[in-house]
Amino acid sequence: MNERPHRATARIEAHDEEENVSARPALRVVHEPEAIDLAAAETAAGQFLTALGISTASESLRGTPGRMARAYAELFSPRAFDLTTFPNDEGYDELVLARRIPVRSVCEHHLLPFVGTAHVGYLPGARILGLSKLARVVEHFACRPQVQERLTKQVADWLQTHLEPKGVGVVIEAEHSCMTLRGVQATGSSTMTSTLLGLLRSDARSRSEFLALTGVTA
């Protein structure tokens, strides 16, 4: 499958001159999609509904194509954020884990939503991460057409590259409406994926601790 490149960048933003020049600059994480044309999307949504035999002439459906366009634009537009890190002055070397981070994304095969939770943890190296940023990274990669396997690995790989911890673990459990609402109609089913890097993959004790805290059987 040929995957269309997704233009998302993490770049260094310069500090104000008044700030301490020795301080580590913030890593500004931004999403740079192709230009969004809401008017064209609204027209296409109307044509799509008409092609499926759904008239948009009634008062209640007249605005539906525009709402569809704006809804998908929102789903595909993650918010920019600063990856705030701090020196690990105390030499903390135990697991840091954020559990039950909400996940919402859209299956790239059917453009139907999948929702669930992510557990994201890491073993700190020289720096520690602002806790809210773990959720921000999940959102950053979830706000685009996705498959859960890729999403799980992208979050883990990105944290490993930009935080340089001793280990990273990501577990995502989600319900896919492309399975529950259509096709096999497997109501109540969920899909679980995981990626473990560094010591969370190679060290049995660290791996077991992470999996136990996320509720996954080691």
Side-chain angles (χ1 to χ4, degrees):
M1 178 180 66
N2 292 326
E3 180 184 342
R4 182 179 179 181
H6 179 85
R7 298 172 56 197
T9 63
R11 62 170 179 258
I12 298 295
E13 297 286 355
H15 276 160
D16 294 335
E17 293 181 0
E18 294 80 9
E19 294 187 13
N20 184 346
V21 295
S22 64
R24 181 165 174 164
L27 185 68
R28 184 67 172 170
V29 183
V30 298
H31 166 73
E32 297 180 349
E34 301 294 335
I36 295 175
D37 188 338
L38 283 176
E42 179 176 351
T43 298
Q47 293 171 343
F48 172 73
L49 292 171
T50 299
L52 292 177
I54 300 173
S55 172
T56 59
S58 69
E59 181 179 352
S60 60
L61 285 171
R62 193 173 300 132
T64 295
R67 288 188 288 267
M68 284 178 60
R70 293 188 296 274
Y72 275 98
E74 180 181 342
L75 286 171
F76 298 153
S77 300
R79 296 167 291 180
F81 68 97
D82 293 320
L83 189 74
T84 311
T85 65
F86 307 93
N88 188 10
D89 292 332
E90 302 301 320
Y92 184 82
D93 61 359
E94 296 294 333
L95 182 66
V96 178
L97 174 64
R99 299 193 302 172
R100 294 187 289 275
I101 297 170
V103 174
R104 66 165 197 186
S105 191
V106 175
C107 165
E108 69 178 26
H109 301 138
H110 301 94
L111 287 189
L112 290 172
F114 65 89
V115 296
T117 56
H119 310 293
V120 183
Y122 72 98
L123 291 169
R127 300 186 72 81
I128 56 177
L129 180 66
L131 289 177
S132 67
K133 308 310 176 184
L134 294 172
R136 292 284 197 180
V137 173
V138 172
E139 177 191 306
H140 179 76
F141 287 104
C143 284
R144 63 194 70 173
Q146 269 289 15
V147 295
Q148 186 175 324
E149 298 89 337
R150 183 194 306 129
L151 171 60
T152 308
K153 192 170 189 306
Q154 284 177 331
V155 172
D157 287 346
W158 200 93
L159 288 170
Q160 184 70 32
T161 297
H162 293 283
L163 187 58
E164 299 181 348
K166 295 177 182 177
V168 173
V170 179
V171 172
I172 296 178
E173 183 174 8
E175 181 175 306
H176 293 248
S177 55
C178 61
M179 284 183 61
T180 61
L181 299 181
R182 56 158 301 280
V184 69
Q185 298 184 20
T187 304
S189 67
S190 64
T191 299
M192 183 171 289
T193 50
S194 66
T195 296
L196 304 176
L197 303 175
L199 286 178
L200 290 182
R201 183 182 184 94
S202 62
D203 180 70
R205 186 191 70 84
S206 298
R207 181 174 64 251
S208 294
E209 179 187 12
F210 172 76
L211 294 175
L213 288 174
T214 59
V216 180
T217 303

